[in-house]
Each structure stands twice: as C-alpha cells, then as structure tokens.
Amino acid sequence: MRIGRPRTLARLTFTVSLVAALLGVGATGAANADNPAPPDTGATKSDNITHLASVPMTGPLASGVNTDIAFAGKTAYVGNYSGFAIYDIANPANPKLISQVSCPGSQNDVSIYAGLLFLSTDSSRSDNSCQSVSQSPTVKESWEGIKIFDVKDPRSPRYVAAVETKCGSHTHTLVPDKSKDSVYIYNSSYFPNATYPDCQPPNDRIDIVKVPLKDPAKAAVVASPVLFPDGGFPGSDTGYETSGCHDITAFPAKNIAVGACMGDGVLLDISKPAAPKVIDQVQDAANFSFWHGATFNGDGTKVVFMDELGGGGGAECNTEVGPDKGATAIFDIRNKKLKFRSYYKIPRHQAEQENCVSHNGSLIPVRGRDIMVQAWYQGGFSVWDFTDSAHPREIGYFDRPPIEPASFGGYWSVYYYNGAIYGTESVRAFDVFKITDRRTDPASRIRLKELNVQTQPPFWG
C-alpha cells in the first residue's frame, strides 16, 4: 500500500484518519476472552481452509489500518498505522492480545530480531516521538525513519532509539551481520520531490542502517548505495518511474536479495551487507505498474514479484483488467539471472467496488514443492502452487463478500507460520486460519524460532 506523505497515487480511494486523542505512547493490555472466528456470512472458501479465530482491532489501533506481521516464538507482532500490537499465539485458535503501543506514522511496517522491534515511519512527523503530529515534508525539521523498541517483555515495550532516513521508511528488511553482533536494516523509500529538503530526486538509492545489538541506541545509517546509476525504469503511461524501492526481500543463506523497486525488479549480491550490488535487473513495461514485493521459494532458486496496480485502493481483479496485470510474476533464478516464466492471479473476479490486487504473502515450506499463501485485499487470500513455474495453480482460498457501504478493506498481509495462517484484515481484525491438505500438511513439521517474511530462511537446499 502506498499512503503516507502527500503524494499522487493512481486510483487511491481512501485516506486514514489518525485521531489526536490516541497519540500518547505506552502499552495497553486487554482482557482476553475467547476469539472465535466470525460466522463469515456470505464468504466463499475452499474446503481445505478453516477460519480459526478473529481478534477485532481495539483501543488506540482501532482507527488505524493493520499492515505487516512479524513472528518470534509464540508471539506475533502486528503493525498498524496507529502503532503496533503484540499477540500471544501459543494457541492459534485463541490468540490473545498482550499489549499495544500507540505510535502513529504510516505505515508502521514491523520486524523483530533479538528482542528488538523495528518500526517504519513513512509519513512526515513533527519529531521522532510517539506523540508527534503530522508535519509537511517541505519543512526541513520534519522527521521520518525507523523507530526501535525493546520488546523482550512483550507486556511492556520500551522505545529505545530512532534513526532518521532521508525519504522516510516505507518498508525495511533485516540482514543479520555474520558476526551476530549487529543487524543491518535495508530501508526502502521512494517518491522524492524537489520541494522536500530531505528527499530530493532522483533517490536512486537505499539507506542501510546498522544496529549494534548490545547498544541499539547507537543505530545509524552506515551506507546509502545507489542501485540505479542509470536512473532505472523511466516510467510509462501505466508504469511508475523508478525513484527508490518499495520493498526488499533477503535470502541471507545464499547472500542474495531481490528488490521490488517501482519500475524495476533487481537481484542483489549481499555478501557484503553494507555494500549490496545489483547483479541483474528486469522490467515489464507491458504488464507491471508498480513492483511492490517479492518472495523466494525454499531454496532460493525462484522468486515471485507482486505488482500493486492501483496502489492497493483499486479494483483490479475483474475482466476489464485481466489476468496479467495487478498479478504476481514468477521468475526462475538461473546463473544469477532472473528468467520470467509466467503470471499468477486469483481466478475469482471481484466486484467493481472491491479493492483487490496482488499483495503480501509468504512461503508454505514443503520439500519438493513451491507453495505460498498470498493476500489480495478484498480478494481475500489464495494458496497457490508454482512448482511448475510456467503453470501456477491455486489449491486453496478464502474470500469475503464486498464491504458495504463500499470502502477500502481486505487482507494486507497473509503469512504461514508454524502450522497456521495469519492475516491482517486491514480495517477489522487479526485473523487466524488453518489449511488441511495433503499437499501442504508436511509444512507443519517445520518449526521456526522467528520469522520476518522479508528475511527468508533456507528451508532446504
């Protein structure tokens, strides 16, 4: 999703209101009754999907938008335009809210590492505190960047540091240092403007933040490598000009990463984390509007790129748009080159008022198969198999009817973690599902201690 500082966005149909009364910092707990799944009146789904639970948005986050998810142990961390929430998921059928922190600043992308939570702020603020208010990016003193919280006690998160980045932080990706003494953060931001003192064109770079784990307060930008010395994709009638990256996904075990960078998809060598190098670059002027995100398969030999046509607010899952736009593109990685194979898009057409486009998903780890679950906003979510790169196919889905009256909604991120599927229904709830299928059941035997979806572990290979 692309909302934050004032920007021109294709077909974006909503804005997010952050209520001034909710701008205080601090964690607030909640009584934890059972959280049964709603009746889902009118929803359609495949027989292999079961809706286990749904926890409604409450308190200081109720007026925001749920965004990304990170996992550590039996805990889930959910970003929200108004802050973040922490859930106990020891029993996936009954997730319990542990605490939530009010800290407005779109889009509050989250990740977790060694008891630290990292939070992206991509809207211009009066300062770096959680009590800040919106302030024009044309003001030199305005702040955007990455906030760092100590969440070793999830009942009482503690704000410990902030790092300002020139064009804000729309998303970020963790790359652990091989010494294990620190972690690098690849910061993605875009849409520079000549009137913004700190975010000048062309912004053909990313910022890299190094965080010393023993003293995170000393976190700082240590490099800003230029990925597009030639300027990248120049733009077209349907595609965005490259001026930064939207998201980066790392595969540290192979020292590679992929960047979804507006008009470009790039393959990176990250063997030197503070000095990534572009080793291949692809464009798709015919069908891609905005290279949004990416997911590797289990051994890092394939990658899928998502196209966020319409900015997340557009109704792109219909006959008029067709199967190749607002879709997910599958690439094989051969000899350090990205080789296009096919597109995947959900086969169900959505109503004209339903925002629907390819969005955030994760791998379901099954040896010998390439299967992932993926969010499609009001298109629900899809479980699909791309083992045959040229012929992907859906094997499961969940889809609610349109929101009435018509408005933005649906699943922002849907991820598989330790036997369950977790989803952020962007304006309603934190949801949990289960898939029961012989093709995906083996994944339940793989247990992770931590998962940041944009820092993929090697499941095998």
Side-chain angles (χ1 to χ4, degrees):
M1 170 56 68
R2 304 194 299 278
I3 54 181
R5 70 177 88 235
R7 294 160 172 160
T8 300
L9 304 179
R11 299 172 64 182
L12 189 59
T13 58
F14 79 106
T15 58
V16 177
S17 174
L18 299 177
V19 181
L22 302 179
L23 297 183
V25 70
T28 57
N32 289 299
D34 288 346
N35 296 296
D40 288 324
T41 303
T44 60
K45 68 180 188 67
S46 55
D47 292 340
N48 56 2
I49 298 293
T50 302
H51 194 176
L52 298 178
S54 187
V55 186
M57 295 160 59
T58 60
L61 308 191
S63 65
V65 172
N66 278 337
T67 58
D68 216 7
I69 318 169
F71 303 91
K74 297 178 180 179
T75 309
Y77 304 82
V78 175
N80 181 291
Y81 271 70
S82 293
F84 64 91
I86 305 176
Y87 295 90
D88 179 342
I89 55 171
N91 178 5
N94 186 24
K96 298 177 180 180
L97 178 64
I98 299 172
S99 63
Q100 48 189 347
V101 170
S102 173
C103 197
S106 67
Q107 61 184 12
N108 281 342
D109 188 39
V110 294
S111 60
I112 187 80
Y113 189 78
L116 297 175
L117 181 141
F118 304 98
L119 194 71
S120 284
T121 299
D122 192 35
S123 58
S124 188
R125 313 295 297 179
S126 55
D127 57 51
N128 65 8
S129 75
C130 286
Q131 294 80 32
S132 67
V133 295
S134 295
Q135 183 168 285
S136 172
T138 62
V139 177
K140 173 66 176 174
E141 292 73 23
S142 293
W143 186 91
E144 299 179 72
I146 296 171
K147 301 183 179 80
I148 304 172
F149 292 80
D150 184 322
V151 292
K152 294 181 182 68
D153 180 358
R155 297 165 299 179
S156 184
R158 183 171 58 89
Y159 187 4
V160 296
V163 179
E164 186 171 13
T165 54
K166 287 187 176 181
C167 289
S169 179
H170 195 72
T171 65
H172 66 268
T173 302
L174 303 186
V175 178
D177 187 17
K178 292 177 175 61
S179 71
K180 299 184 179 180
D181 293 331
S182 58
V183 64
Y184 291 93
I185 303 175
Y186 286 12
N187 181 70
S188 296
S189 59
Y190 56 96
F191 279 158
N193 190 299
T195 68
Y196 302 162
D198 294 329
C199 186
Q200 292 286 300
N203 191 44
D204 291 327
R205 40 171 262 292
I206 61 171
D207 293 316
I208 300 177
V209 176
K210 187 175 183 179
V211 183
L213 297 179
K214 291 183 179 179
D215 192 359
K218 292 183 178 179
V221 175
V222 295
S224 296
V226 173
L227 301 186
F228 304 100
D230 64 350
F233 186 65
S236 67
D237 291 342
T238 57
Y240 279 81
E241 173 187 1
T242 297
S243 58
C245 292
H246 179 277
D247 210 345
I248 294 170
T249 297
F251 200 95
K254 279 197 165 183
N255 289 321
I256 58 174
V258 283
C261 302
M262 303 183 71
D264 289 89
V266 295
L267 180 64
L268 302 168
D269 178 338
I270 60 169
S271 54
K272 296 180 179 179
K277 294 182 179 180
V278 174
I279 53 179
D280 196 24
Q281 181 176 356
V282 291
Q283 300 171 347
D284 185 351
N287 288 311
F288 259 47
S289 171
F290 190 95
W291 295 68
H292 174 275
T295 299
F296 287 99
N297 67 342
D299 62 1
T301 58
K302 297 180 184 178
V303 64
V304 302
F305 284 100
M306 298 80 175
D307 174 24
E308 197 186 40
L309 175 68
E316 313 296 352
C317 300
N318 51 45
T319 304
E320 177 187 358
V321 175
D324 297 339
K325 298 180 186 296
T328 301
I330 304 162
F331 289 79
D332 291 342
I333 302 175
R334 297 287 183 266
N335 299 317
K336 298 183 179 180
K337 296 291 184 180
L338 296 166
K339 303 294 185 182
F340 172 75
R341 293 297 181 236
S342 65
Y343 298 106
Y344 172 77
K345 194 170 184 180
I346 55 173
R348 290 163 303 284
H349 289 156
Q350 304 294 304
E352 288 303 321
Q353 69 268 35
E354 288 186 282
N355 60 299
C356 176
V357 75
S358 175
H359 217 244
N360 298 341
S362 77
L363 200 70
I364 299 180
V366 177
R367 183 178 287 275
R369 309 295 300 178
D370 299 321
I371 301 173
M372 72 177 292
V373 60
Q374 186 180 359
W376 291 79
Y377 285 112
Q378 286 195 67
F381 69 82
S382 176
V383 179
W384 58 286
D385 187 318
F386 60 104
T387 306
D388 181 347
S389 302
H391 301 95
R393 60 193 180 93
E394 184 173 71
I395 62 175
Y397 72 94
F398 179 88
D399 185 9
R400 287 196 181 102
I403 294 174
E404 298 290 351
S407 64
F408 169 82
Y411 287 101
W412 182 292
S413 298
V414 180
Y415 298 149
Y416 180 92
Y417 177 70
N418 289 355
I421 292 171
Y422 297 87
T424 43
E425 211 295 350
S426 50
V427 296
R428 288 176 173 166
F430 175 56
D431 283 358
V432 189
F433 297 82
K434 182 179 180 179
I435 182 167
T436 305
D437 190 293
R438 61 178 177 78
R439 295 164 290 190
T440 59
D441 289 346
S444 64
R445 295 194 290 266
I446 294 177
R447 296 283 155 165
L448 301 176
K449 293 182 179 179
E450 190 171 273
L451 178 64
N452 297 293
V453 169
Q454 287 75 34
T455 306
Q456 285 193 231
F459 291 106
W460 43 79

